[in-house]
Amino acid sequence: MNETDTRGRLSAAAVVLTGLAVLGGSLRADEAVVAVIPQPVAVQAVGKPFVVAEETVLIAAGAARAEAEKLAAALAPAMGFALPIVEGDEPAGGSICLRLRDEHAAELGEEGYRLTATVEGILIEAAEPAGLFYGIQTLRQLLPAEIFAKEPVADVAWAVPGVEITDRPRFGWRGLLVDPARHFLPKFQLLDFIDLMAVHKFNRLQLHLTDDQGWRIEIRKYPGLTDRGAWRDETLIGHLRDHPHEFDGRTYGGYYTQNDIREIVQYAAERHITIVPEIEMPGHARAAISAYPHLGVFPEEQKGLRPWTRWGISEDIFAPREETIAFLQDVLLEVMELFPGTFIHIGGDEAVKAQWERSDEVQEMIRELGLADEAELQSWFVTRMDRFLAEHGRRLIGWDEILEGGLAPGAAVMSWRGEAGGITAAQAGHDVVMAPTSHTYLDYYQGPPTEEPLAIGGLITLEHIYGYEPVPAVLTEDEARHVLGAQAQLWSEYIPNYGHMQYMAFPRAAAMAEVTWSPPAGRDLGDFLDRLRRHLERLDALEVNYRPLDP
């Protein structure tokens, strides 16, 4: 199903509210700016603010009650008190009411909401719980920035401007990628990052779980994948281009147990974020082959292989024999048990085929299958996985190299080498997620390399991301419907820890959130930067190690 939602868009609007009475005083004009990120579709001032106090109650019923519980939990740490929840779906004076209504589906879709705040109270309406959740995120941003603090804050009037907001996302895929394969991200930090994603209304988190440098997910049928494949003997110091190479000499690794994964998936689902697991194949396979050499093209030569200790692309590639396919399908069976989302990412990128070219066995296989070359062999390999996933009710997605040699009928493409692959796929009727290096790689430098932490290279500024348009102009309206959305990538070769990851992600991820949520009409960099300066106060309260804005 096409997840892109381009129907029923409302015109973008922003509003500055001034002269609002609060507790007998008044809000300063700069305190009353509706500085929500991502920008809502439509905002209208409706009068005086509502002040959340200890007497305020939450009203919700049915599926809305779970969202009300999340709101109460989000507000309690900073306010120092928890709002009680009362059963019902009709607003009352001095309340915050969360209400689900089927009749809103046509206008708001599955993720849209309407928020009305007046001096009497607040009403958030939606067709689905996800819409209520996103309305809650907007409500949090309408409150003073201190609401994001983790401990009680004194002497703050918890005032919400009098405003009516109607909002829905432009795209159904609003994603970020995290790469624990190169540098492992402990579970508690990954959960914290999921919270930051929720604040920005992202709804897809791709986990790059396997690569040459490490295998990060427990597979019970094949314990060697983590016993051996999750640990490398040392790690490169400095940049790959530097010579001679230096290494730290310390064993490095880690992995998520299946119980960890279940907890992560559930935690994300409660925040309406779907985890998309990525299991790399046929390339980026050295860690797996280190654990099970028979999966490699030259098993005898690959005995004693260890996960790679440097960055870049290893030539070690899965052998496309039936034994290997059975192994990987066993892995995917366990992955599907853990991740209930529709899409399973199989990588497919940067598959160096030198070993296939040198192998008499593989060359004979190409001839027997009647294939033209190694590219068609990879297509055959991907098609086998596509059919397997389809048989289990899932869909395959891979990087744009899976187009080479012909694309499996049900596969979706994540276009990273520019937009050409995405355009080709969409024109052929395949769903696409735009993720080009030109605009979405958050591991690139944010400023002059001499003034920034070590990065892989390139330059992608906050302003550059904000100017990105995920739907290429060459696509027709029908073809454009295949653009599910866009995703920004945090490859971790040069991101060794969570603090560094936050620095590389924010505030650029805030720009990406707006690109994928808000309508393109009326997008204005100056307005975004004004709102972002207020938003950074929220990140301060959340103790995020973001990169400061340029002067």
Side-chain angles (χ1 to χ4, degrees):
M1 179 180 293
N2 188 346
E3 295 186 46
T4 306
D5 184 2
T6 57
R7 295 170 298 173
R9 296 181 193 162
L10 304 170
S11 61
V15 64
V16 176
L17 310 174
T18 57
L20 303 178
V22 178
L23 300 177
S26 64
L27 286 177
R28 299 193 313 270
D30 62 338
E31 290 177 328
V33 175
V34 179
V36 175
I37 291 178
Q39 169 110 336
V41 171
V43 182
Q44 181 178 357
V46 295
K48 295 180 179 181
F50 175 75
V51 179
V52 182
E54 290 192 56
E55 302 79 39
T56 304
V57 298
L58 298 176
I59 299 175
R65 185 179 180 93
E67 306 306 322
E69 291 171 353
K70 296 171 192 175
L71 174 57
L75 301 182
M79 289 184 173
F81 55 85
L83 300 180
I85 301 175
V86 176
E87 188 78 12
D89 66 357
E90 291 298 328
S95 71
I96 302 173
C97 179
L98 276 61
R99 185 163 70 187
L100 291 170
R101 287 287 188 270
D102 291 340
E103 60 264 28
H104 296 313
E107 180 186 7
L108 301 178
E110 294 183 358
E111 297 181 295
Y113 63 92
R114 181 179 291 113
L115 184 154
T116 304
T118 70
V119 70
E120 289 84 17
I122 297 171
L123 172 63
I124 303 177
E125 295 182 285
E128 299 290 343
L132 291 180
F133 182 79
Y134 295 128
I136 287 170
Q137 304 317 307
T138 294
L139 175 58
R140 294 172 72 193
Q141 293 194 28
L142 292 173
L143 286 158
E146 291 88 345
I147 196 62
F148 290 91
K150 299 174 182 177
E151 296 179 352
V153 182
D155 302 322
V156 175
W158 302 112
V160 178
V163 66
E164 183 174 288
I165 295 174
T166 303
D167 200 12
R168 66 183 295 170
R170 181 185 181 194
F171 293 109
W173 189 301
R174 308 180 301 280
L176 294 175
L177 176 146
V178 171
D179 171 19
R182 276 59 172 264
H183 279 106
F184 184 64
L185 191 65
K187 178 179 65 176
F188 76 97
Q189 292 176 336
L190 183 56
L191 298 180
D192 184 78
F193 190 73
I194 289 170
D195 282 333
L196 294 178
M197 291 181 64
V199 169
H200 295 85
K201 301 185 175 77
F202 286 103
N203 69 348
R204 295 290 187 279
L205 172 59
Q206 182 172 331
L207 287 183
H208 184 74
L209 292 166
T210 72
D211 214 298
D212 296 317
Q213 295 85 3
W215 185 284
R216 306 295 179 209
I217 178 172
E218 177 189 19
I219 301 298
R220 289 176 175 168
K221 189 168 184 178
Y222 301 109
L225 288 170
T226 46
D227 289 347
R228 186 176 177 88
W231 308 94
R232 58 177 180 260
D233 297 331
E234 57 188 1
T235 300
L236 179 70
I237 298 174
H239 202 283
L240 179 63
R241 64 172 174 258
D242 297 336
H243 293 281
H245 291 151
E246 295 184 31
F247 298 85
D248 62 13
R250 295 177 295 179
T251 300
Y252 180 89
Y255 64 92
Y256 304 115
T257 67
Q258 294 204 357
N259 286 337
D260 288 336
I261 293 293
R262 290 188 181 93
E263 181 181 346
I264 292 165
V265 168
Q266 179 63 30
Y267 193 86
E270 289 170 357
R271 289 146 184 82
H272 299 278
I273 294 171
T274 300
I275 306 287
V276 181
E278 182 182 4
I279 306 297
E280 276 276 12
M281 59 184 82
H284 290 281
R286 181 170 175 136
I289 296 171
S290 298
Y292 296 99
H294 69 276
L295 302 175
V297 178
F298 303 109
E300 289 303 314
E301 296 178 18
Q302 292 170 308
K303 286 181 179 177
L305 203 67
R306 298 288 295 169
W308 229 17
T309 59
R310 51 175 253 172
W311 315 127
I313 311 164
S314 168
E315 285 192 359
D316 294 293
I317 185 172
F318 286 121
R321 58 179 75 98
E322 289 298 323
E323 183 181 15
T324 309
I325 289 173
F327 175 94
L328 290 170
Q329 290 179 346
D330 285 342
V331 169
L332 291 177
L333 282 174
E334 293 197 30
V335 168
M336 285 187 283
E337 281 185 20
L338 297 169
F339 297 92
T342 299
F343 286 98
I344 304 292
H345 205 298
I346 58 91
D349 61 309
E350 299 175 325
V352 181
K353 300 177 178 65
Q355 292 182 354
W356 283 4
E357 292 167 357
R358 296 198 308 268
S359 167
D360 293 339
E361 175 193 6
V362 173
Q363 292 303 308
E364 178 61 26
M365 187 176 182
I366 290 173
R367 288 189 292 271
E368 289 180 355
L369 291 170
L371 304 175
D373 52 23
E374 290 77 18
E376 285 196 4
L377 180 60
Q378 178 167 340
S379 177
W380 172 86
F381 183 99
V382 170
T383 299
R384 292 287 300 273
M385 297 303 168
D386 180 72
R387 290 173 181 166
F388 178 76
L389 292 173
E391 289 169 0
H392 291 82
R394 305 300 183 90
R395 289 188 63 191
L396 180 147
I397 187 168
W399 301 107
D400 55 61
E401 285 95 330
I402 66 173
L403 286 163
E404 298 168 5
L407 185 58
V413 171
M414 195 166 276
S415 188
W416 74 279
R417 297 178 301 175
E419 294 184 331
I423 291 168
T424 298
Q427 290 175 336
H430 293 276
D431 288 339
V432 176
V433 175
M434 288 298 186
T437 57
S438 60
H439 289 82
T440 70
Y441 271 44
L442 302 184
D443 56 330
Y444 282 23
Y445 283 106
Q446 305 180 67
T450 55
E451 301 174 13
E452 295 288 327
L454 180 66
I456 196 168
L459 174 66
I460 295 182
T461 63
L462 173 74
E463 295 79 5
H464 191 59
I465 292 176
Y466 191 74
Y468 181 53
E469 169 49 51
V471 179
V474 299
L475 296 180
T476 67
E477 185 176 347
D478 286 342
E479 292 164 350
R481 291 192 181 97
H482 288 288
V483 179
L484 304 181
Q487 180 172 289
Q489 284 49 249
L490 283 157
W491 301 110
S492 71
E493 292 97 326
Y494 301 97
I495 302 179
N497 57 58
Y498 185 46
H500 194 159
M501 178 177 151
Q502 290 181 331
Y503 180 90
M504 300 303 283
F506 294 101
R508 292 185 295 181
M512 192 67 186
E514 191 146 314
V515 165
T516 55
W517 180 281
S518 306
R523 190 183 299 165
D524 180 84
L525 177 60
D527 173 68
F528 171 71
L529 292 174
D530 286 341
R531 285 181 287 114
L532 182 60
R533 292 183 184 98
R534 295 290 307 278
H535 190 67
L536 294 183
E537 297 175 15
R538 301 173 190 130
L539 297 187
D540 285 330
L542 287 165
E543 302 176 3
V544 176
N545 183 44
Y546 61 86
R547 180 186 185 270
L549 297 181
D550 292 326

